[in-house]
Amino acid sequence: YYFWVKVIACQTCQYKMDLFKSRVFAKHAYPNKYPQSKSICPTCYAINNVLYNDTTTKCQQCDSLYNPQSGTVHGSKIICPSCHATFALIDAVRKREIPLEERMYAKVVLYQDGKKDFLPIDESDLKTYQRAEDMLPALWDYIPQIQIQSGYNTNQILNYNYRYWYQTFNTRQLVSLALLSAEITRIQKPELKEIFACLFSSILEFNNMFASFKGIGTGAVRPMFSHHILKPELTPLEANPWGTEKSSGSFSTFFESRILRALDYKNDPFELRLSQKKEKIAAEKIYKITKSLNTTIAADYQSFISGNSVYLSTGDSSHTDIADESVDLVITDPPFFDNVHYSQLADFFHVWLRNILDPQGLMTHITTRSPYEVQNTQIDTFIERLISVFTECHRVLKKDGLLVFTYHHSRNEGWIALYKAIRNAGFWITKTHPVKAEMSVAVPIQQSKEPINFDLIIVCRRTRPDILYPIHNDISPVLCLNEAKEATKALQQASMNVSLGDVKTILTGCLLSKLAEVDNLSRELLLLKSLEANLDILARNVISSNDSHTSNGTRQYVKTLWD
């Protein structure tokens, strides 16, 4: 693997500097337990052994003293080590027309005995990279030269002068990917070509100049979309695209861990059952209870009901050819209003796949974006399109069928929009379940002040279950508070970290499932909106209370807030 750093010229003295936030470039994923780390000397670029939290060290090669924690980047500002001028990075970028330059400064090598070592860049590395630059012109036909369209997410890199998707890779990555792409394009059997195109798609995320070094002692590569944004990486990691036994995110390793495992599952699918083994809970694979997936896939609903067991289609989910009241269960995952525009991010993959699967360029769509997609920054448009999809779900569901999906949002507008869509489509929320959705080490969780670890599984029915819920003009906020406390306590007893953001989600879920008792949409929305003004106070009450029951004083306080 090669370590790179972006470079910029000082806006005052033109000194070219590396954009390091810290000179410690490689440390263990658990540094408190394994403190040994690697640092790059700012004077001679030698690699020094340091502790991850050292604030001073002496270079083992040139004897200069430096602070490994200090780089040239301080938040959004850059401090020039030559003239000490301070300027904003984005201001300097805007004066350019192309992305920032990058340079290699270190590598991690794997020896035949399995040991790894961190070494500085030498002449052979520069010659190898030059070889890739010499090869590139002959391979351009296998590299998509599609411009990046403006959009909510894509503007994040357009602002840094990335104009084409190929600019997110360095020369050697482009050559490697072009060679792989060329071979996959030559596969004659369509099914095999699609399998390898899928595999190729997987390695794209790990082999670009937006990937970074995750740490020692773990999968080394933090992929481009570890956070669902397009943010340029100041210190990218160039991984090994073909891979070794020790590689992560590579073609050879993904072939075994993803493709072969998927094909095995297709032939002999299984379900997971939790079982207690000594003091640990383990997952046990249970075979022979699920039908084999080796089947002919129906292209339309009539073919499906004529005997095929799988029907796959793509298109507008508000218009399907499925018959009325024919479906037992709809499980879906609607977009989170304005948070992430997946179609804009997906174009990063789509431009390459289009090149491989359609080398003659007959596919008219150069983007996965659609004017009909539900995701929209305009809340009224988002609600309108979500209603149309949920209305179609309502049409195809049997009377006793369920609509089930996951959702969370940090802002009340997102919940209001979702609820309006559900109720206007004719559904009632009858139950919500908080479920762990994000890994604790996920980048969005690590970077959030109030991380949301849990999604709500939201269960909806076509008709209001009057047998379960007598109609009221109002509901008790104290019931919501107590239910949220019970749910929070249960999660904490299961050794799960429950943040304030999680409690807000749980509390909102409790209210959503109780609104079915009101049967008046205006009143339901009023109750939901009333939660917004007091959600922080109520959530803090839940998370700070060790008692699962609400005191009389709190009852009166909550009632006053609600009123």
Side-chain angles (χ1 to χ4, degrees), residues 4-71:
W4 291 72
V5 61
K6 281 186 166 52
V7 178
I8 199 168
C10 173
Q11 300 298 284
T12 301
C13 71
Q14 301 307 307
Y15 174 79
K16 274 198 168 183
M17 69 192 91
D18 299 327
L19 294 179
F20 284 110
K21 293 180 181 179
S22 166
R23 295 285 173 179
V24 178
F25 69 91
K27 59 184 178 182
H28 201 279
Y30 302 98
N32 289 326
K33 189 175 181 180
Y34 305 98
Q36 290 294 331
S37 304
K38 302 291 181 180
S39 172
I40 189 83
C41 173
T43 304
C44 70
Y45 306 116
I47 296 174
N48 294 294
N49 294 317
V50 297
L51 300 181
Y52 79 97
N53 55 357
D54 277 348
T55 55
T56 183
T57 192
K58 185 177 183 180
C59 177
Q60 297 157 9
Q61 181 169 294
C62 70
D63 292 335
S64 63
L65 293 174
Y66 68 95
N67 179 0
Q69 307 303 324
S70 179

Side-chain angles (χ1 to χ4, degrees), residues 101-140:
E101 299 169 26
E102 295 154 329
R103 74 169 189 90
M104 289 184 285
Y105 65 90
K107 61 189 176 185
V108 56
V109 299
L110 176 69
Y111 295 108
Q112 289 186 350
D113 61 4
K115 292 182 180 178
K116 296 178 183 178
D117 197 8
F118 291 84
L119 300 172
I121 296 301
D122 58 29
E123 191 64 29
S124 67
D125 297 310
L126 300 177
K127 287 181 178 179
T128 304
Y129 195 81
Q130 181 60 50
R131 182 182 168 214
E133 290 187 329
D134 294 340
M135 293 172 67
L136 184 61
L139 294 167
W140 271 112

Side-chain angles (χ1 to χ4, degrees), residues 54 91 109 206 267 316 334 344 356 415 470 488 523 544:
D54 277 348
D91 290 342
V109 299
F206 289 78
N267 290 327
D316 185 352
Q344 296 176 23
I356 293 171
W415 289 108
T488 302
R523 180 60 180 157
S544 64

Side-chain angles (χ1 to χ4, degrees), residues 92 130 143 148 193 198 211 231 259 267 270 274 277 333 377 398 403 462 485 516 522 562-563:
Q130 181 60 50
I143 296 169
I148 301 169
K193 181 183 280 191
C198 180
K231 182 183 178 184
I259 300 300
N267 290 327
F270 57 84
L274 295 180
K277 291 188 177 181
D333 187 17
T377 53
K398 295 177 181 177
L403 166 66
R462 275 188 49 170
K485 284 187 177 182
S522 296
W562 209 272
D563 292 342

Side-chain angles (χ1 to χ4, degrees), residues 394-407:
H394 192 280
R395 180 186 70 79
V396 303
L397 269 174
K398 295 177 181 177
K399 288 183 178 179
D400 59 349
L402 295 178
L403 166 66
V404 183
F405 59 89
T406 62
Y407 192 82

